[in-house]
Amino acid sequence: MKSLLEALQPLGRALMLPIAVLPVAGLMLRLGQADLLDIPFLAAAGDAIFAHLGLLFAIGVATGFARDGDGAACLGGVVCFLVATEAGKALLAVPPEAAAGLTGPGAELAVAAWKAKAMAKLDVPIGILSGLIGGVFYNRFSGLKLPSYLAFFGGRRFVPIAAGVAGLVLAAIVGLGNAGISAAIATMSDSISQSGSVGLFLYGMFNRLFLVTGLHHVLNNFFFFVQGDYQGVSGDLRRFFAGDPSAGGYMAGYFPVMMFGLPAACLAMYHAARPERRRAVAGLLFSLALTSALTGVTEPIEFTFMFLAPALYVIHAVLTGVSMVVMDLLNVRLGFGFSAGLFDYVLSFGKATRPLLLIPVGLVYFAIYYGLFRLVIERFDLPTPGREKDEPTAPTQDAALTDRGAAFISALGGAANITKVDACATRLRLIVARQDAVDAAALKALGALGIVRPSDHALQVVLGPVADIVAVEIRDALARPTAAVSNQAAAAPAPAAPLDEPVLSAALVTALGCADNILSTTRHHGRVRVVVAEPGLIDDQALATASARGACRPSPTVVHLLG
């Protein structure tokens, strides 16, 4: 059975899909508002994304949890979401005051508006649950075989049907239980708000500590999209852009750390590097510092010291919590669409409260981080960039110019060792058959800034903003005939012994176009991967009948036999 962390890996990645849309949504919303360019249709375009976040989460989470990201899972998530929200509205108990003093069409419009507002408060949680249903149902039912007279509704077509039925159950829960659910969320939000500095400190600290496993997105989701209420809009992030003057408390504290503190840590690591190595590491460290200051992407910096100096990372987490408290005590309210970098600071400036106080607080944080990192690195002789005992292995020019995907496959222990390839904003999220087959040194030579092993099979490789591009390259390389990957990996260290060779039944061989059409077969966790020469020779109907739990085709020449 997969561990909890391994099972939650897709959720952390999936939550980033809709969140990745927020920067452009925030950009359009702010530029279109009256205090900037005053272009109403541009503001409406940005607001449309914020208004339909639940639907985006239904699609994104379904994609993350479906074993191959198939569109049937996304359709299942959308169907479940629409059924749950619209059918749920019909079950809501509308208070009499919602239409007080109104009759006829006016009363109907008032009731409809109240229902839409009530359901909108839960749209993100409903979206996440709908996405989970779509993804999990796809994994369970996409290979379902029905009697011949119902065969049209079998397989992938059954997924949105089943998800719609599940949506009815979810509609009953959120419709009949809306009052209790809303009261529970309000109580939780009030408790967090009343906890004041303690709650802010704990949130900031645990956000950084959860970063190690990549589950900080799950924590953020409640505070950014659920907590609090302002004119029917929930979540600190959405309320901020909706004009709530009290919103931004759960975002403001990140700005001193990401725009000032972590860039100062990079400067400290540069000055602490050996003199002969400073020039070599300057490009890396200053690019990381600039990325953090401008965009708020910090993981590449944090992974340079997270495992080298865990105590230093804990101090970094504590300082993040302290920053949340300080900015709140100063009544500073800042917001962002993506992260706490300069770009978002400029965009949110017009909606912010006391934004200029970031400068003095940020300068203090710059001094604290620089002094603390310089002291700890030199006092304990930490091997931060430029202080390694041995010269680091740099990626060769040939590897960079030929096939990066194939090079990563080799470093990950070969195609047979890779069960699943995903990515979030800054890291590859992989499931591997054997951790001991992974070559950490080769991954670092290819640009990995850190490696995390949350479970026996889960592997995370921190690469920075290029992670999603690398994941696509790996998947493309895996989809090619194995000879192409083998040639690229010829000079790499030999991986551990391959997994046992699967044996296909005669019916499967025939369905795949006979033995001459099969180039390779490899066993992975929960499936057998088959590469064929001519995809046109595959008999999909015979393949579905012959395979134990169905089959899927992530690319024309690659077939995954499930079971």
Side-chain angles (χ1 to χ4, degrees), residues 141-168:
F141 298 120
S142 60
L144 180 69
K145 301 179 184 66
L146 295 175
S148 57
Y149 58 89
L150 294 175
F152 177 81
F153 301 103
R156 294 186 303 169
R157 294 188 183 97
F158 186 76
V159 175
I161 297 173
V165 175
L168 289 174

Side-chain angles (χ1 to χ4, degrees), residues 152 213 227 416 466 539 552:
F152 177 81
T213 61
Q227 192 266 339
V466 300
D539 185 337
C552 60

Side-chain angles (χ1 to χ4, degrees), residues 103-277:
T103 59
E108 293 176 0
L109 287 174
V111 169
W114 186 92
K115 289 182 176 182
K117 189 175 180 180
M119 197 59 66
K121 295 178 182 179
L122 301 174
D123 65 340
V124 170
I126 294 173
I128 293 173
L129 290 173
S130 299
L132 285 170
I133 290 170
V136 172
F137 277 26
Y138 175 80
N139 294 340
R140 177 66 181 86
F141 298 120
S142 60
L144 180 69
K145 301 179 184 66
L146 295 175
S148 57
Y149 58 89
L150 294 175
F152 177 81
F153 301 103
R156 294 186 303 169
R157 294 188 183 97
F158 186 76
V159 175
I161 297 173
V165 175
L168 289 174
V169 177
L170 189 56
I173 295 172
V174 298
L176 298 176
N178 182 264
I181 295 172
S182 298
I185 293 175
T187 300
M188 187 180 300
S189 298
D190 291 342
S191 299
I192 293 171
S193 299
Q194 292 170 6
S195 65
S197 298
V198 174
L200 284 166
F201 172 78
L202 292 175
Y203 164 70
M205 182 179 69
F206 281 111
N207 176 275
R208 292 298 90 187
L209 293 178
F210 284 1
L211 177 78
V212 179
T213 61
L215 296 180
H216 56 302
H217 302 307
V218 180
L219 177 67
N220 287 341
N221 211 65
F222 174 80
F223 290 97
F224 288 173
F225 304 116
V226 179
Q227 192 266 339
D229 178 74
Y230 175 74
Q231 299 179 357
V233 178
S234 59
D236 200 51
L237 188 153
R238 294 199 292 184
R239 288 188 290 112
F240 179 85
F241 284 101
D244 184 356
S246 68
Y250 291 93
M251 295 181 283
Y254 289 123
F255 283 88
V257 175
M258 296 181 177
M259 285 181 60
F260 295 90
L262 287 173
C266 288
L267 182 62
M269 287 188 274
Y270 169 75
H271 285 152
R274 300 200 306 268
E276 67 275 14
R277 291 280 297 137

Side-chain angles (χ1 to χ4, degrees), residues 445-495:
L446 289 167
L449 299 166
I451 298 171
V452 184
R453 292 179 169 88
S455 73
D456 291 342
H457 297 287
L459 178 71
Q460 298 177 5
V461 182
V462 181
L463 296 175
V466 300
D468 194 59
I469 298 173
V470 174
V472 172
E473 293 174 357
I474 293 174
R475 285 193 287 264
D476 288 345
L478 286 171
R480 294 196 297 271
T482 53
V485 177
S486 300
N487 291 337
Q488 289 291 336

